[in-house]
């Protein structure tokens, strides 16, 4: 595969610019830029919210189950009924803070959760995106990383992009609510899987 001159060196700059643009917006991006943002950042090109991943869901279910089980063992059904609102409320709060936002800026794309800084290694610079396709990954693409959870009304989209060395190709799939808007945000034509 041919090397893409200049792309590898541009990745770090694009990732920094992506983080700066993201910092100009609160996690609830629909409310516009933060009032404290100076200068005012460019609008986000695309964003969507994703449900919590399976790991935090499993951890919350186990902890709440153990919590209520301990009260059942020590105080019976009455103790469980008294403690359930607190245990379930805190469990839901933890899950709320694990809702993700998948965002495309003018410089890259990434997935974030509230109150965390975007990891630089998790940002894909827009210059590295090669192709976007609705449906499963074509056979001649690299094996994809699966990201994001399914929700009703979303369609699977495959993205082919370059790795940090600007030579190796990678791919990932994600469930997207509006594939056409997502592809437009990436400045990449959207291909549809051919039906055989």
């Amino acid at each position: 595969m041919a090397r893409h001159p200049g792309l590898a060196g541009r990745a770090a700059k694009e990732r920094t610019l992506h983080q700066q643009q993201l910092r100009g917006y609160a996690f609830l991006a629909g409310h516009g830029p933060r009032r404290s943002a100076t200068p005012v950042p460019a609008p986000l090109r695309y964003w969507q919210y994703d449900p919590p991943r399976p790991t935090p869901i499993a951890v919350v279910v186990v902890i709440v189950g153990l919590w209520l089980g301990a009260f059942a063992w020590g105080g019976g059904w009455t103790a469980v009924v008294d403690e359930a609102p607190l245990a379930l409320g805190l469990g839901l709060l933890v899950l709320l803070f694990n809702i993700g936002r998948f965002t495309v800026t003018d410089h890259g794309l990434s997935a974030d959760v509230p109150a965390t800084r975007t990891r630089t290694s998790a940002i894909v610079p827009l210059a590295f995106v090669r192709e976007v396709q609705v449906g499963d990954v074509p056979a001649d693409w690299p094996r994809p990383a699966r990201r994001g959870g399914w929700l009703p009304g979303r369609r699977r989209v495959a993205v082919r992009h370059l790795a940090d060395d600007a030579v190796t190709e990678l791919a990932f799939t994600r469930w997207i609510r509006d594939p056409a808007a997502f592809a437009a945000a990436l400045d990449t034509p959207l291909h549809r899987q051919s039906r055989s």
Side-chain angles (χ1 to χ4, degrees):
M1 169 163 282
R3 182 175 260 301
H4 299 276
L7 280 182
R10 193 168 136 190
K13 180 180 178 185
E14 292 291 303
R15 288 183 171 120
T16 300
L17 292 171
H18 175 79
Q19 287 177 319
Q20 287 174 355
Q21 190 172 352
L22 276 184
R23 278 196 294 269
Y25 289 86
F27 188 74
L28 298 175
H31 295 288
R34 294 178 190 268
R35 290 182 183 170
S36 61
T38 54
V40 175
L44 299 176
R45 292 184 175 199
Y46 180 89
W47 75 89
Q48 71 178 35
Y49 296 98
D50 296 324
R53 298 181 66 104
T55 302
I57 292 173
V59 168
V60 165
V61 167
V62 168
I63 290 174
V64 169
L66 290 173
W67 184 349
L68 294 178
F71 274 86
W73 183 54
W77 181 249
T78 306
V80 171
V81 170
D82 288 343
E83 196 64 21
L86 178 62
L88 295 174
L90 290 176
L92 288 174
L93 186 63
V94 169
L95 290 180
L96 184 66
F97 279 103
N98 277 282
I99 290 175
R101 184 183 73 193
F102 180 62
T103 313
V104 179
T105 67
D106 291 343
H107 309 283
L109 56 107
S110 65
D112 312 285
V113 292
T116 62
R117 187 170 179 156
T118 307
R119 289 181 303 120
T120 305
S121 60
I123 300 169
V124 176
L126 288 191
F128 281 25
V129 174
R130 292 290 163 250
E131 193 173 350
V132 180
Q133 176 164 317
V134 174
D136 289 326
V137 175
D140 59 337
W141 282 25
R143 184 183 174 124
R146 298 192 183 276
R147 300 178 181 164
W150 175 85
L151 283 176
R154 293 193 180 183
R155 299 190 61 198
R156 184 186 297 274
V157 172
V159 177
R160 184 172 57 92
H161 63 95
L162 297 176
D164 287 343
D165 63 5
V167 176
T168 308
E169 288 197 344
L170 302 172
F172 67 85
T173 61
R174 181 171 279 280
W175 292 92
I176 297 290
R177 70 180 151 75
D178 188 346
F182 174 64
L186 297 177
D187 293 329
T188 307
L190 180 66
H191 300 284
R192 303 208 180 263
Q193 203 169 38
S194 58
R195 299 184 187 272
S196 34

